[in-house]
Amino acid sequence: MNYIIYDLEFNQKYIDFPEDNSNDSSRLPFEIIQIGALKLNERFETVSSFNALVKPKVYPKVHPYVEKLTKINDDIASSGKDFVSVYNDFLKFIADDQVVLCVWGTVDIKELLRNIEFYNLSSSSISKYYIDVQRNASLYLKSPNNSKVGLKTAIELLNLKTDNEFHDAFNDAYYTSEIFKTIYDDTIKPIIYSSSPYRKATSPKEKVDTASLIKQFEKMYSREMSDDEKSIIKLAYNMGRTRQFVVPYNSKEDT
């Protein structure tokens, strides 16, 4: 049995890019632009590696936040092969071996399968057995309140070398493999990945108690709010609820 330790980098929709295909954004919110992986044998020896850029199609221009995070710009991304070609190469890398996927959080499994489905490709060769290294590392490091430790933080806490940049799919796959080898014991077992459809929870309509909101500010500042201040507080609260100032967040980034 072999372990395939892989990591992905994604691109996503940017409102200022008219080139983005909005018709496909709901089916593919995160488009893979890099796949990095290592194959380890049962003795945790690296037997082969994989590193490929994927030319984005749905979001042809790289989101500024993604570029800042990954250092992948439009020129670098466009130099890659299309997803279908890279996926076929990835399957050859996996080969017909009995493998367990090892990932830093299950989002990489979810998005790989979603990208595969988007292009109407078969995922039958992708193992359903996986190990969430992030979850196991968080338990190993006794992360407080069942929180998930970030990749960089785990590397630092385990005193492992950091010779390369983070947020590069191949480098992050390597760091994940080093953590996996460090924390592994017989209690870490592969489990079967199961994707359940997302169901939006329904909740009762809510009304904001603006009077209490104003009173809270008056309590904080130990004085009565003026009419102008009350108007600003209400406006700021309502603007926040529209989510227009929410910025993209990468779940793998340390916080």
Side-chain angles (χ1 to χ4, degrees), residues 96-115:
D96 295 326
D97 303 327
Q98 182 180 358
V99 302
V100 172
L101 303 178
C102 298
V103 288
W104 191 258
T106 57
V107 64
D108 281 354
I109 299 178
K110 176 182 178 181
E111 297 307 331
L112 176 61
L113 293 176
R114 179 147 50 184
N115 277 251

Side-chain angles (χ1 to χ4, degrees), residues 9-245:
E9 297 299 337
F10 314 113
N11 193 23
Q12 61 194 82
K13 182 178 178 61
Y14 186 51
I15 193 170
D16 289 344
F17 289 164
E19 299 89 346
D20 288 350
N21 191 341
S22 59
N23 294 328
D24 292 329
S25 60
S26 61
R27 293 196 299 130
L28 194 69
F30 300 104
E31 183 175 21
I32 295 172
I33 56 174
Q34 187 189 13
I35 302 177
L38 293 94
K39 181 186 291 187
L40 308 184
N41 60 23
E42 292 181 344
R43 297 184 296 277
F44 297 143
E45 299 167 333
T46 301
V47 295
S48 58
S49 62
F50 182 89
N51 189 10
L53 291 166
V54 181
K55 184 177 181 178
K57 175 183 177 182
V58 178
Y59 313 116
K61 292 178 66 66
V62 178
H63 192 294
Y65 175 80
V66 174
E67 179 178 346
K68 180 180 179 181
L69 194 67
T70 67
K71 307 299 187 295
I72 299 176
N73 57 29
D74 291 341
D75 290 338
I76 294 174
S78 63
S79 69
K81 296 193 293 185
D82 62 89
F83 179 79
V84 175
S85 298
V86 173
Y87 178 57
N88 287 330
D89 291 341
F90 188 53
L91 292 181
K92 292 176 183 176
F93 162 74
I94 294 175
D96 295 326
D97 303 327
Q98 182 180 358
V99 302
V100 172
L101 303 178
C102 298
V103 288
W104 191 258
T106 57
V107 64
D108 281 354
I109 299 178
K110 176 182 178 181
E111 297 307 331
L112 176 61
L113 293 176
R114 179 147 50 184
N115 277 251
I116 293 170
E117 180 182 3
F118 179 83
Y119 287 99
N120 297 314
L121 302 172
S122 173
S123 61
S124 60
S125 297
I126 301 297
S127 175
K128 299 301 185 290
Y129 289 91
Y130 81 98
I131 293 172
D132 184 347
V133 181
Q134 182 184 37
R135 177 182 178 276
N136 284 282
S138 299
L139 293 172
Y140 181 90
L141 293 167
K142 296 180 173 58
S143 185
N145 301 320
N146 296 319
S147 60
K148 293 182 179 180
V149 66
L151 182 63
K152 185 177 181 181
T153 300
I155 287 289
E156 292 172 347
L157 291 175
L158 293 170
N159 295 314
L160 299 174
K161 289 184 178 181
T162 54
D163 297 327
N164 300 300
E165 293 289 331
F166 289 88
H167 301 299
D168 171 275
F170 183 78
N171 293 346
D172 287 355
Y174 168 77
Y175 287 133
T176 301
S177 71
E178 291 299 294
I179 294 171
F180 178 60
K181 290 187 288 186
T182 301
I183 69 171
Y184 180 83
D185 61 31
D186 292 339
T187 65
I188 298 179
K189 303 291 185 183
I191 59 177
I192 297 177
Y193 177 77
S194 175
S195 59
S196 55
Y198 171 74
R199 294 183 180 178
K200 186 176 181 179
T202 58
S203 56
K205 292 183 178 180
E206 298 175 335
K207 181 180 178 181
V208 177
D209 185 350
T210 54
S212 295
L213 178 65
I214 299 300
K215 286 182 179 179
Q216 180 62 32
F217 272 87
E218 291 178 335
K219 181 179 180 181
M220 291 165 56
Y221 287 95
S222 300
R223 65 176 177 82
E224 184 177 349
M225 296 288 105
S226 68
D227 290 340
D228 286 342
E229 288 172 328
K230 291 177 182 179
S231 297
I232 292 172
I233 291 170
K234 293 176 183 178
L235 177 62
Y237 183 84
N238 288 326
M239 289 177 69
R241 294 180 69 191
T242 66
R243 298 179 59 82
Q244 60 182 300
F245 301 106

